[in-house]
Amino acid sequence: MFEVEYYTLPNGEQPVQQFIDSLDLKMSAKALGSIDILAEFGNTLREPYSKALGKGLFELRIKFAGDITRIFYFFCVDNKIILTNGFVKKTRKTPSSEIALALKYKTDYEGRFEKK
């Protein structure tokens, strides 16, 4: 089993928590269920649930009643998974701005918390 942690900004905000809270009740429940699946299967989880995006970044793929959301995450030592941010997918291709934000959070996390 993997430990799932929400990335926290220096000001205490958690972007992925804010994203999940912004979803309607059913999609939020589906997202939390998908996070539980991720915690159980970790780095063995594959499509259609998870997809590698490169640079150590992955997306958790959540679909409910025609709506699609994505939550970005990465792995740390000691079987830890860090969830960074999420978005509602409205286009075929994942917006590069969302990936860039997730990579920025990953870099920040690694700089603040990982042993060097």
Side-chain angles (χ1 to χ4, degrees), residues 30-46:
K30 179 78 174 189
L32 293 172
S34 295
I35 291 168
D36 288 342
I37 291 169
L38 176 62
E40 183 177 346
F41 293 98
N43 57 0
T44 65
L45 193 63
R46 301 285 184 258

Side-chain angles (χ1 to χ4, degrees), residues 44-57:
T44 65
L45 193 63
R46 301 285 184 258
E47 287 192 53
Y49 303 102
S50 175
K51 183 176 179 182
L53 300 175
K55 298 183 181 178
L57 190 66

Side-chain angles (χ1 to χ4, degrees), residues 50-111:
S50 175
K51 183 176 179 182
L53 300 175
K55 298 183 181 178
L57 190 66
F58 298 82
E59 65 178 6
L60 187 60
R61 303 158 66 92
I62 306 155
K63 187 174 182 181
F64 180 78
D67 292 326
I68 300 171
T69 60
R70 299 288 191 256
I71 294 176
F72 298 108
Y73 66 95
F74 61 94
F75 293 94
C76 288
V77 294
D78 299 327
N79 287 339
K80 189 183 286 189
I81 299 169
I82 310 300
L83 305 178
T84 57
N85 57 306
F87 72 101
V88 175
K89 189 165 185 191
K90 297 184 186 277
T91 60
R92 194 153 169 76
K93 189 171 164 94
T94 299
S96 57
S97 61
E98 294 289 346
I99 295 172
L101 183 59
L103 287 170
K104 175 183 168 189
Y105 290 160
K106 179 179 182 289
T107 300
D108 175 61
Y109 181 92
E110 291 168 343

